[in-house]
Amino acid sequence: MRSTTRRGHLAVDLAAITPGHLLTMTTSPTPSTRSSTNGWQVQRVEVDVPAHRYQVVIGAGALERLGALLHECCPGTRRAFVVADRAVAEGVGRQVMATLAEAGAAPIVAEVEASEASKTVAGAERLWQSMLDARLDRTAIVVALGGGVVGDLAGFVAATFMRGVDCVQVPTTLLAMVDASIGGKSAVNLPCAGGLAKNAVGVFRQPRRVICDPLVLATLPDRVLSAGLAECLKHAMISDPELATWMEAQQERIFARDAETLTALIARSAKVKAGIVARDEHEAGERTLLNLGHTFAHALEGALHESISHGEAVGLGLLAATEASRASAHWPGADPDRVERRLRALHLPTRAPTGCSLSVMLDLMGMDKKHRAGRWRLVLPVGEGACRVVDDPPREAVVAGWRRIGVT
Ligand code: GLY
């Protein structure tokens, strides 16, 4: 399989990328529109999956309007089962419950711990049982309120309860807004000899809508915000190179949590993912490109566990993949220095923590899901805003990638 993104696929009106202004997308297969509802500025990105079309709705104050936004995509009086990250249930969660109650959704909340250890069959069973005990039926709507773990677990429970009920994703981290909540991947982990087999049981089932309120990012710690920015940079490197330049220029506004800047960032990054998912829902080809940097990242996460976040590992993976691409001549003009500069601007690490040995990393890379028949399979950047799946890259190029991020 060879999948490559094409430059210019997502045409963007660069004149619109000025400080404090929302972006205007010009031509695109997945139009994003800026609209005003009673003076409320909102961006809508279409996820054009055949037979399961939905929107990513982004706007400051979206949570206050959650009841109405839910009604738009799931009409009728239907009960909401809110699966909420325990850490957000108190503050944002109360606001969400109030707006859903006002909209007549008679919400029920189930709190979950946002750790991979909660994403289990037992965790799913607890939620199925709560839904059954509350006498919910197939008209129920599951609302996933939290980061990636909550979205995955709630999406899985929604996809399986009574053979599937509607799910609305309400992500509360940048990473979940631009990546995890879009595309319908949902799963739980299974225990295995080495710890957890991540996402071992799951389904593809698209949500009815994704609703992002950049105001919830106001209290997100910088380190967690940066982790989401790594996924935005990944999207830029896959098919929207101007996005990377823009992010670098906007770093102060991004870290100041300027709502308009964050709305623009989320919309533009979500648009890259939406386009890919619409063309390849089940990861038969192009969707694999979303794993840019991930083979390196998964090895780092496998060795370092909780001491490195997924986003930080992805950032390092983007740098390593760029170096590997240059070293293997897949992209002789690749500029790892520029990727490194961008990672620094986004407050992301550029060197792996000490204690990662090259031999352990190479072994862990062999356990990657994309590893086939004893050969490595990597996604490598091959141009500005273009990347490709590369089977069996030369070992020395992979080693050069690791060395670039300080693994020797
Ligand atoms: N996060 C990669 C994907 O959704 O395919």
Side-chain angles (χ1 to χ4, degrees), residues 7 10 12 14 17 23 25 228-252 254-255 261 264-265 268-269 272 292 318 322 331 335-348 381 383-386:
R7 276 213 65 189
L10 301 164
V12 172
L14 278 178
I17 308 176
L23 306 181
M25 308 297 173
L229 292 171
E231 295 287 355
C232 298
L233 181 60
K234 179 194 81 177
H235 287 160
M237 289 173 67
I238 291 173
S239 70
D240 186 1
E242 290 88 356
L243 171 59
T245 317
W246 181 81
M247 284 168 66
E248 210 176 348
Q250 297 293 320
Q251 57 160 306
E252 275 187 30
I254 290 171
F255 283 98
T261 306
L265 173 67
R268 187 156 169 173
S269 189
V272 172
L292 177 63
L318 296 175
T322 307
W331 185 18
D335 187 355
D337 289 344
R338 185 164 52 185
V339 176
E340 182 163 336
R341 194 185 70 226
R342 287 180 171 155
L343 293 175
R344 284 190 207 287
L346 303 176
H347 305 178
L348 284 160
E384 294 295 345

Side-chain angles (χ1 to χ4, degrees), residues 269-300:
S269 189
K271 194 170 158 62
V272 172
K273 174 127 190 206
I276 291 174
V277 166
R279 294 186 291 274
D280 178 23
E281 181 183 5
H282 295 124
E283 201 168 318
E286 186 182 353
R287 190 164 176 171
T288 309
L289 301 180
L290 291 170
N291 290 310
L292 177 63
H294 279 58
T295 305
F296 291 98
H298 288 153
L300 286 164

